[in-house]
Every structure is written in C-alpha cells, then in structure tokens.
Amino acid sequence: MKINILILPGLGDSDADHWQSYWLNKFDTATKLVQENWDEPKLVDWLNELKKFIKKIDSPTILVAHSLAVPLVMHWASANNNLHIIGALLVAPADVDSPEHTPQVIRNFSPIPIHKLPFPSFVVCSENDPFIDIKRAEYLAKKWGSDFVNIGQNGHINSYSKLEYWEEGQLILQQLINKIEG
C-alpha cells in the first residue's frame, strides 16, 4: 500500500535544518501543511487549515506532527475524522497545559484533548525536552492509546538536535507503518 505523509510543523515552522524538512525532501509521498501565522498561532486558525487540507485527502495518509502540531492533531481528532488518516507520528509534543514548559503565545491550544486516537500512533519524546516532561509525554501517550518511544537526550527533537534525516525516526515511522499494515 502506498502511504502518504502529511508533515505538520509546530511553532515557527520547521526550518531547512529540521528533520521534517529533510523528510519532506526525501519522501516523494510527503507534503507539508503551511499555516498562515507560524509565530503567533491561534488554535482556531490552525485547526481550520488542517481541516481544509485533510478534507482533500483521498488516499492513506500518516500525520507526522512536531511540537505544537501534536496538540493540533489531538484537537482535530477529538471532533473530526477522515478514513484516509491511518496513523500519526507525534514527536516532541508541546505541553500547552504547562506554563513552566511552554510560552504564553501557544497557551490557546490548551487544554490538550485526552482521548484515544481512532488510528495507530506513536509518541516520541526526549528525556531533556524543555517543552514537556518525559513522564507527562508518557502519560499522554497512554491516554491517546499511542506507543511511547523515549529517544534519550535529544532536546526538543528539532533543528538544534542536528538530526538531519533522523534515521531513528524513520525506523519508528516504519514500525508505525508495519502496525497499520498488521
């Protein structure tokens, strides 16, 4: 089965050194959702863009969300569905419920919906992510019905982590695909 990948960047977008940008260039089935305002996001606006994009999807697609895009996916999934969304790779979720971990500008994405996702998913987190505590990420993964992967000391799993093509992440993505294809 040919599976498409929808790249969902977080706050500030994913620059050229971010693994999501590398994946966008590597996988010919990858596309990226572009938001109008990357730096002062409003949940309602980001959610509307995601809904519009997903309505056009007509083939099997995995959501690959980073940081703020993880709560975005959860908000979308709590009120919407599309039979073509078959899985999600949720990387370094931003804990928008925690003033200690996230800036005020993204607090309008709170509260993070806590419900089981209707498709297979993996939550990937780092032990030293400044935007979420590893225990909180593990708790959310459990609530969402997601497999949890701790990748050690890799910060926010972003450009500063210098992961480039992030081969470990590609292996996790393949595990997700294998789970979907069962």
Side-chain angles (χ1 to χ4, degrees):
M1 160 176 33
K2 180 181 174 186
I3 297 176
N4 295 314
I5 298 169
L6 177 55
I7 304 280
L8 303 171
L11 180 67
D13 195 2
S14 294
D15 64 23
D17 294 327
H18 196 289
W19 61 269
Q20 282 188 319
S21 297
Y22 279 85
W23 286 18
L24 188 60
N25 291 323
K26 177 179 178 155
F27 298 114
D28 61 351
T29 61
T31 55
K32 176 179 152 180
L33 175 64
V34 177
Q35 296 289 354
E36 219 171 283
N37 188 341
W38 289 111
D39 299 320
E40 295 178 12
K42 302 284 182 254
L43 174 59
V44 67
D45 297 337
W46 278 36
L47 200 49
N48 284 336
E49 287 302 313
L50 181 58
K51 285 179 193 176
K52 282 193 289 188
F53 198 99
I54 287 179
K55 277 184 184 176
K56 298 175 190 171
I57 292 175
D58 62 359
S59 57
T61 301
I62 292 175
L63 305 176
V64 177
H66 179 259
S67 191
L68 186 59
V70 174
L72 174 67
V73 166
M74 297 311 299
H75 281 286
W76 173 81
S78 69
N80 300 277
N81 66 6
N82 177 312
L83 296 177
H84 298 295
I85 302 301
I86 59 170
L89 182 61
L90 307 170
V91 180
D95 189 356
V96 295
D97 297 339
S98 171
E100 141 187 12
H101 289 101
T102 52
Q104 184 65 35
V105 71
I106 62 173
R107 226 32 72 55
N108 69 89
F109 281 69
S110 180
I112 297 175
I114 299 181
H115 57 82
K116 190 172 190 301
L117 286 167
F119 41 71
S121 58
F122 278 72
V123 171
V124 181
C125 196
S126 167
E127 294 170 359
N128 62 337
D129 189 328
F131 299 107
I132 192 165
D133 179 85
I134 190 85
K135 294 290 184 201
R136 171 80 167 151
E138 196 168 4
Y139 165 80
L140 290 172
K142 184 177 181 182
K143 290 295 187 180
W144 298 338
S146 305
D147 291 349
F148 181 74
V149 181
N150 174 344
I151 62 164
Q153 302 281 313
N154 279 289
H156 192 47
I157 315 173
N158 58 8
S159 299
Y160 297 111
S161 303
K162 300 185 187 318
L163 298 170
E164 296 183 351
Y165 287 98
W166 190 31
E167 288 80 4
E168 181 182 12
Q170 290 180 50
L171 291 173
I172 297 166
L173 176 62
Q174 187 58 55
Q175 288 176 358
L176 176 59
I177 292 168
N178 293 345
K179 189 172 192 172
I180 291 165
E181 292 178 338

